[in-house]
Amino acid sequence: MHTIRSVVTGGAGFLGSHLCERLLAEGHNVICIDNLLTGSVRNIENLAGIPAFRFIKSDVTNYIYVNEPVDYVFHFASPASPIDYLKFPIQTLKVGSLGTHKALGFAKAKRARFLLASTSEVYGDPEIHPQVEEYWGHVNPVGPRGVYDEAKRFAEAMTLAYHRFHGVETRIVRIFNTYGERMRIEDGRAIPAFVSQALRGEDMTVFGDGSQTRSVCYVTDLVDGIIRLMMSGYDMPVNIGNPDEISMLDLAKEIRDLTGSRSRIIFKDLPQDDPKVRQPNISKARSILGWEPQVRRNVGLAKTIHYFRDEIDGLAQRKSTMEQYATNSMKLPRNGEHT
Ligand code: NAD
């Protein structure tokens, strides 16, 4: 029987690691390529030892090399949170441009089908709401978010050029805000920030007056939509996200209630170019992929809170062990103190 082999670039990141897991469950052999810029081996440690899984530590902007035949390439490598792409602006532009070029060249050479993880950020600060795939966007190329938005817009153009000029089978998913286990506490996105502040009993920081809205999708729903898109015959961009819209202030309150925290909510200045509204129109995903989100927000948030509780307890435990070591080492006799 033919072994189905998938390559996931950025597979040690938040979304990529869930995707690797799901593909393995579907019976694929999975090769994860990641340079660990913003990802971590901790995200894939549960996959280590599975014979159908392999990890290659490599920067996809240099080259992508795999000896075996490959059927599917999922191109997820890219810093994704504003904190990350502001910290790594050049790497973000490079992985969106050079990295996408290398990943497409690799798919072409392997005669594999290619899927680009694009983003709702290609719509910028949208003038139409909710956003349909035909909307061209309202992006500031020289603003702080330009490094990410324009890299993804270039990546989409490059993907369609490979499709039209070289006949590579390509898919483009425009991912809207997604949350779930393995997000990083300090990645600056609203849900990890609210959850960790609530769990630690710290003030919860809402930007602006909190009336700006987001719609958040639980990670297993997103991964399901991505696999359906890859297996479909549709080559134009498709929005995948949860249209269930909520204001930032209500999201903070919902998280505070779910954690049982008594944190105060405080307000800070809105960052530059922060979109005011963001909501996917998912008619295409519904009609073409038969997809819509299944996980209700309170269920997804409860799982995420559970994960962060463990993370924060683990951090506290690691810290107290370190402190213990430090105290004990101070008690140890120093050179020459032995009696
Ligand atoms: P993440 O930072 O957790 O994962 C990205 C991974 O890419 C990391 O493991 C990082 O080390 C790796 N990477 C970065 N540059 C690389 C390079 N040059 N070579 C190899 N690996 C590299 O982010 P995420 O949230 O999992 O996002 C994954 C993808 O989904 C990104 O392309 C992002 O733009 C897209 N996306 C995510 C969201 C979201 O809500 N999380 C929304 C829209 C789009």
Side-chain angles (χ1 to χ4, degrees), residues 138-170:
H138 180 223
V139 174
N140 175 3
V142 293
R145 304 171 85 103
V147 294
Y148 182 65
D149 304 2
E150 297 296 3
K152 289 289 183 181
R153 290 166 68 95
F154 175 90
E156 288 198 5
M158 183 64 109
T159 300
L160 275 166
Y162 261 69
H163 173 64
R164 291 177 179 139
F165 189 73
H166 287 308
V168 174
E169 278 196 69
T170 57

Side-chain angles (χ1 to χ4, degrees), residues 9-17 33-40 43 58-62 75-81 84 91 94-95 99 116-121 148 152 173-179 182-184 187 189 222:
T9 74
F14 161 48
L15 298 182
S17 63
I33 305 180
D34 200 300
N35 67 350
L36 304 179
L37 179 68
T38 55
S40 162
N43 291 334
S58 162
D59 182 337
V60 298
T61 63
N62 295 331
H75 181 41
F76 275 63
S78 170
S81 81
D84 288 338
Q91 286 97 324
K94 280 179 74 178
V95 75
L116 171 71
S118 185
T119 168
S120 56
E121 295 282 339
Y148 182 65
K152 289 289 183 181
V173 56
R174 290 190 180 146
I175 302 171
F176 282 66
N177 283 333
T178 302
Y179 71 98
R182 305 200 196 112
M183 290 184 96
R184 278 172 297 135
D187 86 352
R189 288 188 265 203
L222 178 91

